[in-house]
Amino acid sequence: MKFTGATAVLLMWAAAAVAIAIPGEKTLPTWVLVACGTALPAIAAVHAAKKGERLGGREGLAWRIFAVGMVVMTPIYLAEFVGATEIEDILIAVSYALGGIAIITVPLPNAGPYQRLVASLDAAGLGLVVATGTFWVISGSELDTGGHAVWVMSDTAIMVMLGYVAVRRSQDRGVDWAFFWLIGGVGAYLGGVMISSISTTAYFIGHPADFAYFFGMGSFALATTASENRARQTRLILKPVRWVHVLAPYTMVVALTGVLIVHEAGEWGEDIAGSVLELGILTTILLVLVRQLAMIVEQRHKIELEQNGVIATVSHELRTPLTTVMGFLDLLEDWDKFSDEEKIEMVSMMRSQSHVMGRVVGDLVAVAREEIEQLDITRSSLSVDDLLRSAIELVPELQQTTLSVDVAPDIVLTADQDRMLQIITNYLSNATKYGSGHIDVVAFEEHDHTVIEVHDDGPGIPDIFRLVIWERFERGPQRQGSIPGSGIGLSVARGIARSHGGETQYRSSERLGGGCFSVHIPIHHQLLQQPERFEPAVPA
């Protein structure tokens, strides 16, 4: 049989159980217990450190913090043996603190930084509330002697924190056996404290409470050897509200507030000023809870509306070009009946509409990456004149406008061809949607940057929206407008520009009185020798 960490834990459990079962304070059993009590947290520390190194990231950090806590626990039995009880209490307190830090450090699978922060705060808040409530319950009882109340409070709080984090993690990875053993270990320590506090004899090494303490230390060691379940991938849609998860943190606050009311009820009215102050505090707590719940419902409703709106607008933008392509494809059965000019026009329209669908899908993919400003860029020297000509051919709506192109002679742009086409076609498409029929495209060099501007004669963008229009799914003054749009084109454009080391800007157009969107790309002189010439985007 292969000798593993789990095997060592089981052997030490058995040895400790036999030593504890021997009545009285015997020398050999005591040494056995000191040795096992030192070895078990040492095993846990070694395996936790290895686990942290293997997992890496926040989860690895949490296990490394836990390993430090186990190192601190290692000399506890030795301190008890030599009578250094004050040092023993300090070591236990430090190990508890490190355990709490490790718990709130543990990440949640498939969660963003703010979700992790909220979960950590919830866990810490629940632990604090439970610790306070536990102290109120045991105050004045047999457990409130010899410092036992502090350990009962700590164990109960850590158990609740572990349970909360375990439940949250289990949603994406099933039962987490490491947390199962950790909860069992803390529960065993809680049981040991309670046995020791109600016992008629003072604690000594080999006391019946050691059955629970050694089970707890062994459980901590087994937690470090448990295998990890991989997090399941979640779908990027909103799930039904699980109100148990939403209300759990607030339920404990309400319960603690109720305890406070009961506790103060007997003295209510004796001190008028104090009673008014307590009533104000309790009323404020209630209002904060109700407000928080209302904000949760409102925020979720807002997210659902935005999600439905994005789906609707994207579907609308895809439906028109898809219908056009399908209509022309249906005509292929009578292909021979059409003239060459008609065939070229149909192929041109299908290609143009397929580019529209490609832009929409490409924008969605780019936004979903969440790292759009770190896109892979393939730079080459491009003729700005050819770049603009190709972009114009990809936006058939420009045929219904008066378009002017003003490009300074021999301007060359060093950039990714396809990415720059995304930016310019987005600007041109927006100009056709929101303008009134006149569009000016201007390109020039300024301060070691190549600048391309698209001016329109539309209403422009109000000042209050000029910063937010670059955010994902933000449509500025067109949030409730009748003009369809996904609200992701400009955020993609800014991400592409920044991945080139450049920037996008908006200002009022001094040429046409509407809006002016521009992109500024740094000039890379080492690539300027031979500008690339474009093939036409559609048949001439």
Side-chain angles (χ1 to χ4, degrees):
M1 182 181 68
K2 185 179 180 180
F3 190 82
T4 62
T7 306
V9 171
L10 295 176
L11 290 176
M12 290 184 189
W13 263 351
V18 172
I20 297 169
I22 298 175
E25 298 185 39
K26 306 296 184 181
T27 302
L28 181 59
T30 299
W31 276 107
V32 170
L33 291 174
V34 171
C36 292
T38 302
L40 281 174
I43 292 173
V46 171
H47 284 278
K50 291 181 178 178
K51 193 168 189 174
E53 187 70 24
R54 183 176 70 254
L55 294 176
R58 284 176 58 92
E59 185 141 1
L61 175 61
W63 280 110
R64 287 192 289 271
I65 295 173
F66 180 77
V68 175
M70 290 295 99
V71 170
V72 173
M73 285 189 67
T74 301
I76 286 177
Y77 266 84
L78 186 59
E80 174 68 26
F81 179 73
V82 299
T85 54
E86 293 182 356
I87 295 178
E88 178 186 1
D89 290 340
I90 294 174
L91 293 175
I92 294 175
V94 173
S95 64
Y96 272 60
L98 290 170
I101 295 173
I103 293 170
I104 63 177
T105 304
V106 173
L108 295 178
N110 302 317
Y114 292 106
Q115 289 176 301
R116 291 194 293 266
L117 175 61
V118 169
S120 297
L121 293 175
D122 285 346
L126 282 173
L128 180 61
V129 169
V130 169
T132 306
T134 302
F135 179 78
W136 183 79
V137 171
I138 68 176
S139 180
S141 68
E142 292 181 341
L143 295 176
D144 190 15
T145 58
H148 291 132
V150 175
W151 306 127
V152 171
M153 290 169 54
S154 302
D155 288 331
T156 307
I158 290 178
M159 280 187 64
V160 171
M161 293 169 66
L162 281 169
Y164 175 78
V165 175
V167 169
R168 291 293 302 270
R169 284 165 63 89
S170 67
Q171 300 172 32
D172 294 300
R173 56 171 60 190
V175 177
D176 195 323
W177 291 106
F179 274 78
F180 173 82
W181 284 113
L182 289 174
I183 294 172
V186 178
Y189 261 79
L190 176 60
V193 171
M194 298 180 72
I195 293 172
S196 179
S197 63
I198 64 178
S199 175
T200 57
T201 59
Y203 175 79
F204 59 91
I205 297 179
H207 190 279
D210 278 335
F211 279 113
Y213 292 146
F214 274 88
F215 182 83
M217 285 186 289
S219 297
F220 293 153
L222 289 177
T224 62
T225 62
S227 59
E228 305 88 25
N229 297 330
R230 291 186 177 182
R232 297 188 291 265
Q233 293 295 322
T234 58
R235 294 177 296 173
L236 298 178
I237 59 174
L238 289 179
K239 298 179 180 179
V241 179
R242 298 185 179 183
W243 288 107
V244 173
H245 301 158
V246 174
L247 297 177
Y250 308 104
T251 303
M252 300 304 298
V253 176
V254 172
L256 192 60
T257 304
V259 170
L260 178 61
I261 294 174
V262 172
H263 182 70
E264 297 292 332
E267 302 176 0
W268 186 264
E270 296 181 3
D271 179 5
I272 301 300
S275 298
V276 172
L277 178 61
E278 290 174 0
L279 180 62
I281 293 173
L282 293 175
T283 304
T284 302
I285 292 174
L286 178 62
L287 292 176
V288 168
L289 291 176
V290 173
R291 177 187 180 279
Q292 189 70 8
L293 293 177
M295 288 295 294
I296 291 172
V297 175
E298 180 186 3
Q299 185 66 17
R300 186 173 185 87
H301 181 64
K302 179 182 177 182
I303 293 174
E304 289 175 343
L305 289 177
E306 290 180 353
Q307 176 178 274
N308 293 336
V310 170
I311 294 174
T313 54
V314 170
S315 299
H316 183 277
E317 289 200 8
L318 290 176
R319 184 184 299 115
T320 299
L322 185 59
T323 301
T324 302
V325 172
M326 292 177 63
F328 281 121
L329 289 176
D330 289 338
L331 297 176
L332 291 180
E333 296 179 356
D334 301 319
W335 184 252
D336 294 336
K337 297 181 180 179
F338 295 101
S339 65
D340 291 341
E341 291 77 8
E342 290 173 329
K343 292 177 182 179
I344 292 174
E345 183 179 357
M346 285 191 292
V347 172
S348 175
M349 287 295 297
M350 285 190 289
R351 179 176 296 178
S352 175
Q353 294 303 312
S354 67
H355 278 294
V356 173
M357 291 188 289
R359 285 204 307 272
V360 175
V361 174
D363 288 350
L364 290 174
V365 171
V367 169
R369 289 176 178 174
E370 295 185 354
E371 294 183 352
I372 190 170
E373 294 181 18
Q374 287 81 42
L375 291 174
D376 292 332
I377 299 298
T378 303
R379 294 180 183 271
S380 59
S381 296
L382 309 173
S383 166
V384 173
D385 187 56
D386 287 346
L387 176 68
L388 293 177
R389 185 182 303 113
S390 183
I392 290 169
E393 291 173 344
L394 292 174
V395 185
E397 297 87 352
L398 290 171
Q399 297 176 8
Q400 309 300 321
T401 66
T402 301
L403 177 65
S404 170
V405 179
D406 182 8
V407 181
D410 301 323
I411 292 185
V412 176
L413 180 68
T414 57
D416 186 299
Q417 169 184 327
D418 294 333
R419 301 298 187 186
M420 291 305 302
L421 282 176
Q422 278 185 269
I423 297 176
I424 299 171
T425 54
N426 176 264
Y427 284 179
L428 292 173
S429 178
N430 286 344
T432 61
K433 287 180 182 179
Y434 306 113
S436 299
H438 290 78
I439 299 173
D440 283 0
V441 180
V442 183
F444 53 91
E445 291 183 353
E446 180 181 62
H447 305 307
D448 291 329
H449 282 72
T450 300
V451 182
I452 299 176
E453 298 179 343
V454 176
H455 299 254
D456 64 63
D457 59 346
I461 297 176
D463 292 342
I464 60 173
F465 294 114
R466 293 189 179 186
L467 293 178
V468 300
I469 57 172
W470 304 102
E471 298 177 4
R472 293 187 300 174
F473 308 118
E474 176 60 58
R475 300 192 63 211
Q478 294 296 326
R479 291 173 179 174
Q480 307 296 330
S482 59
I483 301 176
S486 62
I488 58 179
L490 290 179
S491 66
V492 172
R494 168 157 287 187
I496 293 173
R498 289 181 173 177
S499 66
H500 282 81
E503 188 56 271
T504 55
Q505 295 179 4
Y506 172 83
R507 70 175 189 275
S508 297
S509 173
E510 65 280 0
R511 299 170 69 98
L512 298 178
C516 171
F517 286 90
S518 61
V519 56
H520 303 246
I521 303 297
I523 298 174
H524 289 256
H525 297 282
Q526 67 272 21
L527 297 177
L528 296 183
Q529 287 76 20
Q530 295 180 343
E532 179 178 333
R533 308 298 294 184
F534 284 164
E535 294 295 331
V538 295

